[in-house]
Amino acid sequence: MTTILIRGARILGGAPSDILLRDGAVAETGDLGGAKADQTVDADGLVALPGLVDLHTHLREPGREDAETVETGTQAAARGGYTAVHAMANTSPVADTAGVVEQVWRLGQEYGHCDVQPVGAVTSGLEGRQLAELGAMADSAARVRVFSDDGKCVSDAVLMRRALEYVKAFDGVVAQHAQEPRLTEGAQLNEGEVSARLGLTGWPAVAEEAIIARDCLLAAHVGSRLHVCHVSTAGSVEIIRWAKSKGWDVTAEVTPHHLLLTDSCAERSPLGPYNPIYKVNPPLRTAEDVRALREALADGTIDCVATDHAPHPVEDKETEWAAAAMGMIGLETALSVVQEAMVETGLLDWAGVADRMSARPARIGRLAGHGRPIEPGAPANITLYDPSVRQPVDPAAMASKSRNTPYEGLTLPGRVVATFLRGRPTVLEGKLV
Ligand SMILES: [Zn+2]
């Protein structure tokens, strides 16, 4: 198959247009009435977006293949409209050497559902004691540019400074999981009224904000690039806004769940109180935080949406709150949640969604082949999305190996109909190819 003709797609929500894909690239757009192709895809009423890019995915391989594998995680990504995901380093063994990142990268290439760009650990074994082999990972076949101890915070200011200095040599970025460890010992839920009523140890906003403020100052001091993972509080937004106003090279992401859900889910939800499906790190915050995060994503203070897709097997989630693992899956619902939180509220149009879920994350991760506008000459990484349907979320229908979605039973808008990776369909009619 060398040519595919997509008929009548609304590129970024605009007027209907045909899109001809040839040899992995966009060949032509516009009214291509008489054009012929090996395959034609009817996209009447569908929105065409550049293939989505995730800066924050946990694929769990190597080490926790009972939760997810590169194969199932990238299938979930393709089903969610993604053509590239960044695989976090907190695997077992940790992705802290050229060998491990190349292994993960090669598995992504072999399966071919979407590009897998490994993230390298900042410190050896995520132990926060000495820097990992950052240069070797950058020079490897995986060409690592994003480094993160995600799951853990690089809390030592000297190590953080050294990492920021080191990655400048290869245009890398340090992606920080901002969590002051001493302030969050035993933390279970956002520190506030709900945690007090439920008797759960609080995770205070200041534990995130203090690290973000410190890291913005450090990044400015050494002239390096900082990315802030999963921003969750209104105060964090203020700090990032301030750092950007100074011209510092700071970027940030927000997760879909922090754009939609609040800590009150732990108290009352269709799934009952104390349901650990809502246990996540950083925790769900307040309605006021949600409002600030949405506004920050709309005005560009927060650059992008990143899923923090965190699969866990049933036995690690369906237990009492205090013992349950933190995290939720998100690849297959991200676009629907963003439509619900940002598009249907009038905060973003489809061009804005493409910018926040494709162009900007690709730029932050330095993925040259992704996040490009749908125009002749660009790699044919495209998602076709039907925003007009509403359907209940069904975990059993998901491609992910895990089922820990907080949206079970919730009705969300939209459906990914097709995904193309360099002109090859990975999803057609909502199903994996
Ligand atoms: Zn994290």
Side-chain angles (χ1 to χ4, degrees):
M1 187 75 57
T2 53
T3 55
I4 295 180
L5 182 60
I6 300 170
R7 285 274 187 209
R10 297 164 51 214
I11 298 173
L12 306 186
S17 167
D18 303 330
I19 307 168
L20 182 65
L21 315 184
R22 185 190 297 133
D23 298 332
V26 176
E28 269 182 274
T29 62
D31 184 355
L32 308 176
K36 290 243 180 335
D38 300 318
Q39 187 180 357
T40 300
V41 176
D42 175 22
D44 189 28
L46 305 183
V47 172
L49 300 170
L52 307 184
V53 176
D54 195 12
L55 273 175
H56 195 142
T57 308
H58 295 277
L59 292 177
R60 302 296 191 219
E61 187 176 0
R64 285 306 303 266
E65 290 85 353
D66 57 328
E68 196 80 282
T69 63
V70 172
E71 182 176 25
T72 59
T74 53
Q75 286 174 335
R79 289 272 310 268
Y82 286 87
T83 51
V85 297
H86 287 74
M88 276 297 171
N90 61 341
T91 48
S92 179
V94 170
D96 59 0
T97 62
V100 179
V101 294
E102 285 187 349
Q103 179 195 350
V104 172
W105 177 76
R106 287 222 168 82
L107 285 171
Q109 295 281 307
E110 270 170 43
Y111 293 118
H113 301 295
C114 80
D115 286 348
V116 173
Q117 179 57 54
V119 172
V122 175
T123 69
S124 289
L126 307 180
E127 286 174 348
R129 285 206 285 272
Q130 60 186 49
L131 288 188
E133 301 169 7
L134 309 185
M137 289 189 275
D139 290 341
S140 75
R143 296 183 49 80
V144 175
R145 290 295 177 272
V146 181
F147 295 87
S148 182
D149 274 3
D150 184 63
K152 290 186 178 170
C153 180
V154 181
S155 62
D156 183 314
V158 173
L159 267 181
M160 187 63 184
R161 174 191 176 154
R162 281 203 202 118
L164 286 163
E165 284 172 332
Y166 201 127
V167 299
K168 284 167 69 177
F170 35 83
D171 194 25
V173 62
V174 180
Q176 175 72 293
H177 168 118
Q179 174 178 7
E180 208 294 316
R182 291 274 290 141
L183 285 169
T184 51
E185 280 175 15
Q188 296 285 332
L189 184 67
N190 176 49
E191 182 182 290
E193 288 170 27
V194 177
S195 66
R197 274 199 297 274
L198 294 181
L200 294 171
T201 306
W203 197 134
V206 65
E208 174 174 306
E209 293 156 5
I211 293 292
I212 294 176
R214 182 202 74 176
D215 287 353
C216 287
L217 293 165
L218 282 174
H221 183 63
V222 304
S224 187
R225 206 151 69 86
L226 170 73
H227 179 72
V228 184
C229 295
H230 41 52
V231 172
S232 72
T233 80
S236 298
V237 167
E238 286 308 302
I239 294 161
I240 292 160
R241 193 171 277 136
W242 166 74
K244 287 193 165 184
S245 77
K246 303 286 247 183
W248 299 344
D249 205 347
V250 174
T251 57
E253 70 190 31
V254 62
T255 71
H257 47 273
H258 287 109
L259 290 171
L260 193 68
L261 306 175
T262 66
D263 59 353
S264 68
C265 289
E267 195 169 30
R268 29 166 218 286
S269 85
L271 304 175
Y274 290 101
N275 191 320
I277 200 78
Y278 301 111
K279 185 173 174 183
V280 63
N281 193 15
L284 300 174
R285 302 287 187 182
T286 67
E288 198 184 318
D289 294 307
V290 168
R291 209 159 26 244
L293 294 168
R294 288 181 180 188
E295 280 167 16
L297 184 63
D299 73 20
T301 301
I302 293 179
D303 298 79
C304 62
V305 175
T307 67
D308 197 4
H309 177 83
H312 291 292
V314 169
E315 61 271 23
D316 290 354
K317 274 313 258 192
E318 290 185 6
T319 175
E320 63 179 303
W321 184 287
M326 292 189 271
M328 32 184 77
I329 57 172
L331 286 168
E332 292 169 80
T333 46
L335 194 46
S336 289
V337 172
V338 169
Q339 183 183 347
E340 173 93 355
M342 302 299 297
V343 179
E344 308 219 325
T345 51
L347 288 164
L348 281 184
D349 57 14
W350 292 111
V353 171
D355 182 64
R356 308 303 198 272
M357 296 184 80
S358 180
R360 287 217 218 185
R363 208 179 307 143
I364 292 165
R366 300 295 193 249
L367 295 185
H370 291 272
R372 305 261 300 274
I374 300 172
E375 57 188 30
N381 298 319
I382 295 173
T383 298
L384 297 179
Y385 184 70
D386 182 358
S388 71
V389 297
R390 286 191 80 87
Q391 54 191 359
V393 175
D394 178 10
M398 290 183 177
S400 173
K401 203 165 190 176
S402 291
R403 295 286 174 264
N404 54 306
T405 171
Y407 310 113
E408 177 174 2
L410 211 69
T411 295
L412 288 176
R415 185 174 85 102
V416 172
V417 175
T419 310
F420 300 88
L421 177 62
R422 286 181 288 279
R424 185 173 52 78
T426 56
V427 170
L428 277 180
E429 296 181 9
K431 296 187 179 66
L432 290 163
V433 175

